[in-house]
Amino acid sequence: MEGAASIRAASGGTMNRAAIFEFFRRLAEANPSPETELEYGNVYQLLVAVTLSAQSTDVGVNKATRLLFAQVKHPQDMLDLGEDGLKAHIKTIGLFNSKAKNVMAMARILVDRHGGEVPADRDLLTELPGVGRKTANVVMNCAFGAETFAVDTHIFRVGNRTGLAKGKTPLAVEKGLEKKVPQPFRVGAHHWLILHGRYVCKARTPECWHCGVVDLCEYKPKVLDKGAKPAAAIKKAAARSKESMT
Protein backbone atom coordinates (compact mmCIF):
# COMPACT_ATOMS: atom_id res chain seq x y z
CA MET A 1 0.00 0.00 0.00
CA GLU A 2 2.12 2.78 -1.36
CA GLY A 3 2.65 5.84 0.78
CA ALA A 4 0.97 4.30 3.83
CA ALA A 5 3.69 5.47 6.19
CA SER A 6 3.09 9.10 5.22
CA ILE A 7 -0.64 8.95 5.85
CA ARG A 8 -0.76 7.20 9.16
CA ALA A 9 -3.39 8.44 11.56
CA ALA A 10 -2.44 11.39 13.68
CA SER A 11 -1.77 11.05 17.38
CA GLY A 12 -4.85 10.82 19.60
CA GLY A 13 -6.45 8.00 17.64
CA THR A 14 -7.98 9.99 14.81
CA MET A 15 -7.11 9.91 11.12
CA ASN A 16 -5.48 12.87 9.44
CA ARG A 17 -6.85 14.33 6.19
CA ALA A 18 -4.56 12.33 3.93
CA ALA A 19 -5.51 9.08 5.64
CA ILE A 20 -9.23 9.85 5.42
CA PHE A 21 -8.99 10.64 1.71
CA GLU A 22 -7.08 7.42 1.06
CA PHE A 23 -9.55 5.46 3.21
CA PHE A 24 -12.50 6.48 1.04
CA ARG A 25 -10.53 6.34 -2.19
CA ARG A 26 -9.90 2.66 -1.63
CA LEU A 27 -13.49 1.91 -0.65
CA ALA A 28 -14.70 3.78 -3.73
CA GLU A 29 -12.27 1.96 -5.98
CA ALA A 30 -13.57 -1.39 -4.71
CA ASN A 31 -17.23 -0.34 -5.00
CA PRO A 32 -17.68 2.70 -7.29
CA SER A 33 -21.48 2.86 -7.03
CA PRO A 34 -22.57 1.92 -3.51
CA GLU A 35 -26.28 1.60 -2.82
CA THR A 36 -28.55 0.71 0.05
CA GLU A 37 -29.42 -2.98 0.27
CA LEU A 38 -33.06 -2.15 0.97
CA GLU A 39 -35.34 -2.83 -1.99
CA TYR A 40 -37.71 -0.09 -3.14
CA GLY A 41 -39.27 1.33 -6.28
CA ASN A 42 -39.84 4.98 -5.38
CA VAL A 43 -39.14 7.52 -2.64
CA TYR A 44 -42.22 6.61 -0.60
CA GLN A 45 -41.34 2.93 -0.61
CA LEU A 46 -37.80 3.84 0.45
CA LEU A 47 -39.17 5.85 3.38
CA VAL A 48 -41.36 2.93 4.47
CA ALA A 49 -38.53 0.41 4.10
CA VAL A 50 -36.09 2.48 6.15
CA THR A 51 -38.73 3.05 8.83
CA LEU A 52 -39.36 -0.70 9.03
CA SER A 53 -35.63 -1.47 9.16
CA ALA A 54 -35.11 -0.01 12.64
CA GLN A 55 -33.75 -2.82 14.84
CA SER A 56 -34.27 -5.21 11.94
CA THR A 57 -32.10 -6.51 9.12
CA ASP A 58 -32.34 -5.31 5.53
CA VAL A 59 -32.76 -8.93 4.45
CA GLY A 60 -35.75 -9.39 6.73
CA VAL A 61 -37.34 -6.11 5.63
CA ASN A 62 -36.90 -6.97 1.95
CA LYS A 63 -38.65 -10.31 2.43
CA ALA A 64 -41.59 -8.57 4.07
CA THR A 65 -41.90 -5.67 1.63
CA ARG A 66 -41.69 -7.47 -1.73
CA LEU A 67 -45.37 -8.38 -1.74
CA LEU A 68 -46.31 -5.21 0.14
CA PHE A 69 -44.68 -2.94 -2.42
CA ALA A 70 -46.36 -4.79 -5.27
CA GLN A 71 -49.60 -3.49 -3.77
CA VAL A 72 -48.54 -0.24 -2.11
CA LYS A 73 -46.71 2.36 -4.17
CA HIS A 74 -48.03 5.60 -2.67
CA PRO A 75 -49.29 6.83 0.72
CA GLN A 76 -52.93 6.60 -0.35
CA ASP A 77 -52.37 2.93 -1.26
CA MET A 78 -51.18 2.36 2.31
CA LEU A 79 -54.28 4.02 3.71
CA ASP A 80 -56.43 1.88 1.45
CA LEU A 81 -54.62 -1.24 2.64
CA GLY A 82 -55.28 -0.42 6.28
CA GLU A 83 -53.33 -1.18 9.43
CA ASP A 84 -54.39 -4.83 9.65
CA GLY A 85 -53.47 -5.38 6.03
CA LEU A 86 -50.06 -3.83 6.63
CA LYS A 87 -49.48 -5.98 9.71
CA ALA A 88 -50.20 -9.10 7.69
CA HIS A 89 -47.26 -8.18 5.42
CA ILE A 90 -44.76 -7.13 8.09
CA LYS A 91 -45.53 -9.50 10.98
CA THR A 92 -42.13 -11.16 10.58
CA ILE A 93 -40.36 -7.86 11.35
CA GLY A 94 -39.51 -6.93 14.91
CA LEU A 95 -41.78 -4.39 16.61
CA PHE A 96 -44.23 -4.71 13.72
CA ASN A 97 -47.22 -3.50 15.72
CA SER A 98 -45.71 -0.13 16.62
CA LYS A 99 -44.14 0.20 13.19
CA ALA A 100 -47.48 -0.42 11.51
CA LYS A 101 -49.09 2.36 13.56
CA ASN A 102 -46.31 4.77 12.62
CA VAL A 103 -46.40 3.88 8.92
CA MET A 104 -50.17 4.40 8.78
CA ALA A 105 -49.95 7.73 10.63
CA MET A 106 -47.11 8.75 8.31
CA ALA A 107 -49.21 7.94 5.24
CA ARG A 108 -52.08 10.07 6.55
CA ILE A 109 -49.79 13.08 7.13
CA LEU A 110 -48.16 12.71 3.72
CA VAL A 111 -51.56 12.70 2.03
CA ASP A 112 -53.09 15.49 4.11
CA ARG A 113 -50.11 17.87 4.36
CA HIS A 114 -47.75 17.03 1.51
CA GLY A 115 -49.99 16.05 -1.37
CA GLY A 116 -48.92 12.43 -1.12
CA GLU A 117 -45.27 13.31 -1.77
CA VAL A 118 -42.26 12.68 0.45
CA PRO A 119 -40.71 16.07 1.32
CA ALA A 120 -37.07 16.60 0.36
CA ASP A 121 -36.38 18.26 3.69
CA ARG A 122 -34.79 16.59 6.71
CA ASP A 123 -36.66 18.69 9.25
CA LEU A 124 -40.02 17.90 7.65
CA LEU A 125 -39.13 14.22 7.45
CA THR A 126 -38.31 14.01 11.14
CA GLU A 127 -41.76 15.42 11.92
CA LEU A 128 -43.28 12.22 10.50
CA PRO A 129 -44.22 9.41 12.93
CA GLY A 130 -41.45 6.81 13.26
CA VAL A 131 -38.91 8.92 11.38
CA GLY A 132 -35.82 9.86 13.35
CA ARG A 133 -32.70 11.66 12.19
CA LYS A 134 -31.06 8.47 10.92
CA THR A 135 -34.06 7.52 8.78
CA ALA A 136 -34.35 11.07 7.44
CA ASN A 137 -30.64 11.08 6.57
CA VAL A 138 -30.98 7.81 4.63
CA VAL A 139 -33.92 9.14 2.63
CA MET A 140 -32.24 12.47 1.95
CA ASN A 141 -29.11 10.68 0.74
CA CYS A 142 -30.59 7.81 -1.26
CA ALA A 143 -33.56 9.63 -2.75
CA PHE A 144 -32.33 13.19 -3.10
CA GLY A 145 -28.54 12.87 -3.28
CA ALA A 146 -27.94 14.93 -0.15
CA GLU A 147 -24.57 14.79 1.62
CA THR A 148 -25.98 13.26 4.79
CA PHE A 149 -24.50 10.60 7.06
CA ALA A 150 -26.95 8.13 8.54
CA VAL A 151 -25.15 6.71 11.58
CA ASP A 152 -26.42 3.23 12.34
CA THR A 153 -24.72 0.64 14.54
CA HIS A 154 -22.25 -0.23 11.75
CA ILE A 155 -21.14 3.34 11.07
CA PHE A 156 -20.97 4.09 14.80
CA ARG A 157 -18.65 1.13 15.25
CA VAL A 158 -16.49 1.82 12.19
CA GLY A 159 -16.18 5.51 12.97
CA ASN A 160 -14.97 4.83 16.51
CA ARG A 161 -12.93 1.71 15.84
CA THR A 162 -10.95 3.06 12.92
CA GLY A 163 -10.47 6.56 14.30
CA LEU A 164 -12.28 8.03 11.30
CA ALA A 165 -14.86 9.86 13.42
CA LYS A 166 -14.96 9.14 17.12
CA GLY A 167 -17.93 9.99 19.30
CA LYS A 168 -19.93 8.76 22.28
CA THR A 169 -23.25 9.20 20.47
CA PRO A 170 -24.46 8.63 16.91
CA LEU A 171 -24.94 12.40 16.53
CA ALA A 172 -21.34 13.04 17.58
CA VAL A 173 -20.10 10.54 14.98
CA GLU A 174 -22.38 12.10 12.37
CA LYS A 175 -21.00 15.57 13.10
CA GLY A 176 -17.49 14.20 12.86
CA LEU A 177 -18.20 12.68 9.46
CA GLU A 178 -19.83 15.90 8.25
CA LYS A 179 -16.66 17.74 9.15
CA LYS A 180 -14.09 15.24 7.91
CA VAL A 181 -15.36 13.37 4.85
CA PRO A 182 -13.92 15.05 1.73
CA GLN A 183 -15.22 15.40 -1.79
CA PRO A 184 -15.85 13.46 -4.00
CA PHE A 185 -16.86 10.88 -1.38
CA ARG A 186 -19.52 12.67 0.65
CA VAL A 187 -22.64 11.30 -1.06
CA GLY A 188 -21.46 7.68 -1.05
CA ALA A 189 -19.68 7.75 2.31
CA HIS A 190 -22.43 6.35 4.50
CA HIS A 191 -23.04 3.45 2.09
CA TRP A 192 -19.35 2.51 2.05
CA LEU A 193 -19.17 2.66 5.83
CA ILE A 194 -22.31 0.58 6.37
CA LEU A 195 -21.15 -2.09 3.93
CA HIS A 196 -17.66 -2.08 5.43
CA GLY A 197 -19.09 -2.55 8.91
CA ARG A 198 -21.57 -5.19 7.78
CA TYR A 199 -19.19 -7.39 5.82
CA VAL A 200 -15.62 -6.62 6.97
CA CYS A 201 -15.35 -4.58 10.16
CA LYS A 202 -17.81 -6.80 12.01
CA ALA A 203 -18.81 -6.27 15.62
CA ARG A 204 -17.43 -9.40 17.28
CA THR A 205 -14.48 -10.22 15.06
CA PRO A 206 -13.35 -7.62 12.53
CA GLU A 207 -12.05 -9.43 9.47
CA CYS A 208 -8.87 -7.42 9.19
CA TRP A 209 -7.20 -10.13 7.13
CA HIS A 210 -9.10 -9.03 4.02
CA CYS A 211 -9.65 -5.35 4.86
CA GLY A 212 -8.45 -2.96 2.19
CA VAL A 213 -7.88 -0.11 4.65
CA VAL A 214 -6.31 -2.07 7.50
CA ASP A 215 -3.08 -0.04 7.44
CA LEU A 216 -5.01 3.22 7.91
CA CYS A 217 -7.10 1.95 10.82
CA GLU A 218 -6.27 2.85 14.42
CA TYR A 219 -7.85 -0.31 15.88
CA LYS A 220 -5.08 -1.89 17.94
CA PRO A 221 -6.07 -5.59 18.33
CA LYS A 222 -6.27 -6.23 14.58
CA VAL A 223 -7.35 -9.76 13.65
CA LEU A 224 -4.92 -10.46 10.84
CA ASP A 225 -5.27 -14.25 10.88
CA LYS A 226 -8.55 -15.77 9.72
CA GLY A 227 -10.09 -17.75 12.54
CA ALA A 228 -8.32 -15.79 15.27
CA LYS A 229 -10.24 -14.02 17.99
CA PRO A 230 -9.65 -10.43 19.11
CA ALA A 231 -8.42 -11.59 22.52
CA ALA A 232 -5.91 -13.89 20.86
CA ALA A 233 -4.77 -11.05 18.65
CA ILE A 234 -4.18 -8.88 21.71
CA LYS A 235 -2.09 -11.58 23.36
CA LYS A 236 -0.04 -12.07 20.18
CA ALA A 237 0.62 -8.35 19.91
CA ALA A 238 1.67 -8.20 23.57
CA ALA A 239 3.98 -11.18 23.09
CA ARG A 240 5.59 -9.61 20.03
CA SER A 241 6.08 -6.36 21.93
CA LYS A 242 7.69 -8.19 24.84
CA GLU A 243 9.99 -10.13 22.52
CA SER A 244 11.10 -6.95 20.80
CA MET A 245 12.12 -5.48 24.15
CA THR A 246 14.29 -8.45 25.18
Side-chain angles (χ1 to χ4, degrees), residues 205 209 220-245:
T205 305
W209 62 86
K220 298 301 182 183
K222 291 183 171 68
V223 186
L224 298 175
D225 298 319
K226 187 176 182 179
K229 301 296 182 184
I234 294 172
K235 290 179 181 179
K236 284 184 180 180
R240 292 193 193 102
S241 177
K242 186 177 181 179
E243 289 174 1
S244 67
M245 295 174 67

Side-chain angles (χ1 to χ4, degrees), residues 52-134:
L52 295 176
S53 71
Q55 300 182 48
S56 302
T57 66
D58 288 0
V59 172
V61 172
N62 289 338
K63 287 181 179 179
T65 58
R66 282 175 190 140
L67 291 177
L68 172 66
F69 287 164
Q71 184 176 354
V72 174
K73 301 185 186 305
H74 305 286
Q76 186 59 55
D77 298 333
M78 188 69 75
L79 295 176
D80 294 341
L81 177 66
E83 187 172 323
D84 289 340
L86 174 59
K87 287 181 180 180
H89 283 284
I90 67 170
K91 59 186 178 182
T92 57
I93 298 176
L95 306 175
F96 74 93
N97 281 312
S98 60
K99 289 178 181 179
K101 291 183 182 298
N102 283 333
V103 169
M104 296 307 300
M106 176 199 304
R108 172 53 61 194
I109 292 173
L110 289 174
V111 168
D112 290 349
R113 302 182 191 173
H114 301 286
E117 299 294 328
V118 176
D121 182 288
R122 184 166 61 187
D123 291 337
L124 291 177
L125 286 171
T126 55
E127 291 177 359
L128 297 172
V131 178
R133 186 179 180 90
K134 182 184 73 174

Side-chain angles (χ1 to χ4, degrees), residues 38-52:
L38 289 171
E39 298 173 1
Y40 64 96
N42 60 32
V43 180
Y44 174 65
Q45 290 181 344
L46 171 65
L47 176 61
V48 171
V50 180
T51 301
L52 295 176

